[in-house]
Amino acid sequence: MRHDATNWGLTMTDHDDDDPMSDRTLDRYLDAARDAAPLPTQALLARIQSDAVRLAPRPPPGRPVRAARPAQRLWDHIRAGLTIAPGRLATAGLAAAGLTGLWLGLAPPQSVLGPLSAVETALLGSDDVLLSLATELEDWHLPPDGIANEGAP
Amino acid sequence: MRTPDPAEPVPDTVLLARYARGEAGAAQALAARLVPRVLAFATRMLGDATEAEDVAQDAMLRLWQAAPGWRSDGAAPATWLYRVTANLCIDRLRKRRRGPTAPLDSVPEPHDGQIGAAARMIAAQRVAALQEALQSLPERQRQAVILRHIEGLSNPEIAQIMALGVEAVESLTARGKRALKAALAARRDELGFDDDRP
């Protein structure tokens, strides 16, 4: 069987006389096969997902990879930069606060000293009051741990 | 520099890189995209749904294993996966040592619920006849014909998958198509096809 098609006045054939079947007929078979493409079952997809989880690359030790919120990632960076173990974070924070307080006490910068002096004067009165308070405190014999001796006046 | 369009699908290579960095969701997206293609190809190559599922799982497993060292300048993941799937199928076919052709009930039937019973029967008959004809082709011809005429890949893509030149692919598909026609035409009376039937 021979099929002709006219296109801009030219006669075209979709197969030659030696062809046992026209391209058009074969295309119907190929179309049917394409339409019947198998769909993966949920069981297959679950097996494949299980493999993916099992073989998922592990992050290097000490640097956990998290699909986290941006704020969480920022915190991870800070923590990683400080190289502080999570369990010791509270202790490290206290130590940092103590060191900052010591620095402010020993060598306060002018930008800090100015406002502090104003606040102290406003709360405690004149410099004479502050001087007498300091004298009384000296008589308390404060031990290194900051707790007053029981026998002190 | 071109700004990525959020509506555009994320490329397979990007998803694979995300999986390699530990994002589980990337594997799911990749599987949803690639497994149907791999499964369809394996089913056509093997003519057996159960074996095709095993091959699809095995091919995807190799993709997960390859993810950490994946080179973006190499083949696209889909192309690479087709090549792995073809090799796995050919291994299985060789083990069969020219066993019997695929049973008809292992070939998927059309899943269009809207077509009538008669049309569905004709479609199922065509699917089964084509599958049997495909099984009669030499492995390389079968692979080329499936990739070109059923999966719809381009000749350069097939050339990359089969590690051939484009001309060799054209020759394989042309010979495969002729052999397919001859196999179907030999069953003309049984199948009752004529060129005017839609």
Side-chain angles (χ1 to χ4, degrees), chain B residues 44-83:
Chain B
R44 301 290 166 224
M45 283 292 289
L46 297 168
D48 184 292
T50 307
E51 271 197 290
E53 283 202 347
D54 290 344
V55 164
Q57 184 180 359
D58 200 357
M60 291 302 293
L61 185 141
R62 288 165 196 238
L63 183 66
W64 308 139
Q65 288 173 328
W70 190 267
R71 281 179 26 190
S72 59
D73 57 340
T79 306
W80 183 90
L81 208 53
Y82 270 122
R83 191 186 305 158

Side-chain angles (χ1 to χ4, degrees), chain B residues 126-141:
Chain B
R126 285 174 176 165
V127 170
L130 183 78
Q131 186 60 41
E132 287 191 44
L134 281 170
Q135 296 297 308
S136 70
L137 300 185
E139 288 158 7
R140 301 283 277 176
Q141 274 185 28

Side-chain angles (χ1 to χ4, degrees), chain A residues 24-38, chain B residues 44 107-112 115 119-131 134 149-150 184 197-198:
Chain A
R24 197 170 61 176
T25 302
L26 179 61
D27 283 346
R28 288 188 192 123
Y29 281 74
L30 294 168
D31 289 345
R34 208 173 298 117
D35 292 343
Chain B
R44 301 290 166 224
V107 177
E109 292 187 0
H111 34 70
D112 186 350
I115 59 176
R120 198 160 50 238
M121 199 170 73
I122 291 169
Q125 187 188 40
R126 285 174 176 165
V127 170
L130 183 78
Q131 186 60 41
L134 281 170
H149 295 296
I150 300 180
L184 289 169
R197 194 164 69 175

Side-chain angles (χ1 to χ4, degrees), chain B:
Chain B
M1 198 170 106
R2 181 176 168 271
T3 307
D5 182 353
E8 282 182 12
V10 179
D12 292 345
T13 46
V14 173
L15 286 175
L16 196 58
R18 287 182 184 172
Y19 169 70
R21 288 200 302 267
E23 285 187 31
Q28 204 166 7
L30 259 183
R33 192 180 291 177
L34 297 176
V35 172
R37 299 170 71 180
V38 170
L39 180 67
F41 177 47
T43 305
R44 301 290 166 224
M45 283 292 289
L46 297 168
D48 184 292
T50 307
E51 271 197 290
E53 283 202 347
D54 290 344
V55 164
Q57 184 180 359
D58 200 357
M60 291 302 293
L61 185 141
R62 288 165 196 238
L63 183 66
W64 308 139
Q65 288 173 328
W70 190 267
R71 281 179 26 190
S72 59
D73 57 340
T79 306
W80 183 90
L81 208 53
Y82 270 122
R83 191 186 305 158
V84 169
T85 305
N87 291 337
L88 290 171
C89 288
I90 288 170
D91 283 349
R92 284 177 179 255
L93 290 169
R94 287 180 181 163
K95 280 179 189 165
R96 283 186 196 167
R97 296 171 185 262
R98 292 181 175 272
T101 54
L104 295 185
D105 60 1
S106 73
V107 177
E109 292 187 0
H111 34 70
D112 186 350
Q114 301 302 312
I115 59 176
R120 198 160 50 238
M121 199 170 73
I122 291 169
Q125 187 188 40
R126 285 174 176 165
V127 170
L130 183 78
Q131 186 60 41
E132 287 191 44
L134 281 170
Q135 296 297 308
S136 70
L137 300 185
E139 288 158 7
R140 301 283 277 176
Q141 274 185 28
R142 189 187 318 171
Q143 186 180 344
V145 166
I146 292 169
L147 291 174
R148 182 77 186 96
H149 295 296
I150 300 180
E151 296 301 312
L153 270 60
S154 68
N155 284 337
E157 284 175 307
I158 299 168
Q160 206 177 1
I161 291 165
M162 298 184 71
L164 294 172
V166 173
E167 284 184 11
V169 169
E170 287 169 354
S171 169
L172 265 181
T173 49
R175 280 186 284 138
K177 206 170 165 182
R178 270 202 303 276
L180 213 51
K181 285 180 178 179
L184 289 169
R187 298 174 61 188
R188 181 188 297 267
D189 292 339
E190 177 197 344
L191 296 171
F193 66 74
D194 64 66
D195 282 354
D196 294 325
R197 194 164 69 175

